[in-house]
Amino acid sequence: MSDSGLQVLFGLLMLLVYGLIAFEVLHKTVAALLGALVLIGLGIGFGVLHEFEQVHRILTHDLGVLGVIVGTSILVDLAGQSGLFHFLAIKVVKRTGGHPLRLFLALQALVFVLAAVLTIVPAMLILAGLTLVICKNLDLPPTPYLLGAAFASNAGAFCTFASGLPTLMIGSAAGIPYVQFLYVSLPFALIAFVVGYLWTRRAFRSELPSDMDEESRATLARTVASFDEWALAPDRRAFLRSAVILGLTILCFALAGVLHVGLDYIAMAGGTAMLLFHGKSVEHTIRKVNWTVILFFTGLFLIVGLVKETGLLDLLARSLRNVTGDSVPLSILLFTWSSGVSSALVDNIPVAATMIPLVQGMEGLPKEPLWWSLVLGCNLGGSATPIGSISCVIALHTLYAESGIKVSWGRFLAVGGVLMVLQLALASLYLILHHAGGLMPTLPG
Amino acid sequence: MEPREQEQIRRNMRAFEAALEAGMTGKLGPELPESALLALDGSDQDEIGLDLMIHCVRTFGLRVFLLPAVPSQSEAADPDREALDAALRRFEEAGLEASGLLDASPEAYHRFSRALSSCEADWFVLPCPFGHDLGELRSRTLGTSVEVPLVRGDRPILVVRGPVVSPEQALFHPHVILRENLPESSAEALRLGLGLLASAAETPDLRVTFLLPEESEPGPIHERDWSPPDPDLRAALGPTGASLFHRLRETRPDLAWTAAVRRPSTLHPERSRVGGRLHLLPAPRMEDGVEALLQHFLLHTLDPVLVVPAPQRGS
């Protein structure tokens, strides 16, 4: 088969796998592994792979990402078992005194921070449970609170290198040092959070109670004050140890460049320290590592790596390069919006995996603005549709399963779709100004 | 969304609900009853109940109301009056006072229902099995006169079973059972246990059993007693147990206490110990008769048992 024929075949098979994932025809891990196996077979059969060891070399590029996922899974699971995050969540909620609007802000701020530290899924699993219990006990409508939290978590997912899986993938591929996230993406994450809060408060203004009499306010305050945060922190020693280990791990992430080690080393060190000092069953904890995600990543990395071997992604990159010319602002717009819109329609992990080789192939342009475009686009795009990000999926599924509330696509798009457009427009402007102002730090090497 | 993620959300919801309920049970300040209504059935248990009440009057000034309800098969001309007079004499001999209540209703449980409605006594003290007319059934049923007040469950009921070694021994060495799924009545039981300890003249001795749900996995925590209880135990408890553990240690850091962890199927009262300890057992709201666990516990112990319902909200 000709090179172009192979490129079309492999490209179509990759799109087929993405389709199977997007429409949930197969479990995403099974779809990715199946796609990888088929493409490896075809790659060997058609001579795309000259030797089987090439498969191992493809995976070697991404071992760092897998190491970070394993290490942080252990870290987050054991810290979660100590009650640390539940404790913080209750503390924050108690500070609101049960006031509905303060609660609206507090829950969004909380999930933003938790997503930044824990990644989206564990943050949303905690917040979804907390939000439903609070709304039930305070007689508040859960939809604004849960959807607001879902949007805020998407903004929190690019605060730091390890805040979200697409961020981690892009950061690893680009070799972005941890501290550069604090200069570039963290400030915009805060802007995106504020925009998201203001927009959702406006969009849900008819559902959020604003005026209430003294008696109702006192009742809400009493109910919220009743939360016993220590009830969920069963062992103070484990609680303190978890807080210290987690804090040190985050600090070491920031100092990774100085320490001359990879983030996977630090994540594994944090996970091992937690296993050593937490006192919980090692077997049980390791079983709880998210192997589904790791196998999904393995399959996905192989698919993208094999498609890249055909030269299709380089070809696409050259085509994009022809479209943008030497214009950095145009490249920023292209990557921010294409990754954002694609992430609204498909899981943002495959989008990031596919776009990374495209950025790598954009020869002659400064890569920094493009990497950041990808980071912001992949994370913010997920707010647009009910299937755009795992946080939205969790929020909508929980609303339906636990409260019987169904949010239509139309209603969701009216809030999330507009928010995505607002946030992507601001993100484009932010990156263009950042680049034009010479504020964007250069990547090492 | 993965099924395990959905399960995790449900687990988080349960945990936050428990944290809220645990907090709603309020502070763990010691609590004591101000008054008690003692039912008399003319049996040996009357003496035991009287001994306990007299000791309570002496120790913390309990006001006692006496309600005779002697079964009609008694040979006495006016069995109620005789039982009441005898009880009042016991109080007089002890230099104390009590008030008598007489009710002409034919059935004992009617008298109890009326008394519970009209009398504001904090505790209700009941001999069990009431009236000694249950024959072989006494090992299988508590009898209507006991079951009706238990099901009604608006205040603690002290069920008097076999003889007690001594009132001090029984009252001031309490065994508090904390049930994971009953945060409010468990907290109330612990408050009452702490109240009794606070009045004890001798060295306080508290035993706590944390009762986990039946589906919890049996493990090393179930196999030994904890003395003194340490954070390893707390870590193995559910939110209600952990919260009460924490608050007990905060409230009484000086208290030496022992603990055990059980599941309902492994909660066995100590049959061989006669009147050794007062058990404080939290009870759920019962609409379809006496809860199986409660009935089993009462039928299998000779110790006095204080059945503690959840306090009425706002009361």
Side-chain angles (χ1 to χ4, degrees), chain A residues 92-108:
Chain A
V92 169
V93 166
K94 284 174 91 166
R95 296 281 293 177
T96 67
H99 188 284
L101 289 179
R102 269 188 244 149
L103 201 58
F104 190 61
L105 174 62
L107 288 175
Q108 291 196 20

Side-chain angles (χ1 to χ4, degrees), chain A residues 86 226 228 230 234 236 402, chain B residues 6 10 12 23 234 243 246:
Chain A
H86 294 75
S226 298
D228 178 5
W230 284 110
R236 281 206 191 185
E402 305 299 332
Chain B
Q6 190 167 350
R10 294 216 168 108
N12 282 333
R234 194 186 169 206
S243 170
H246 164 70

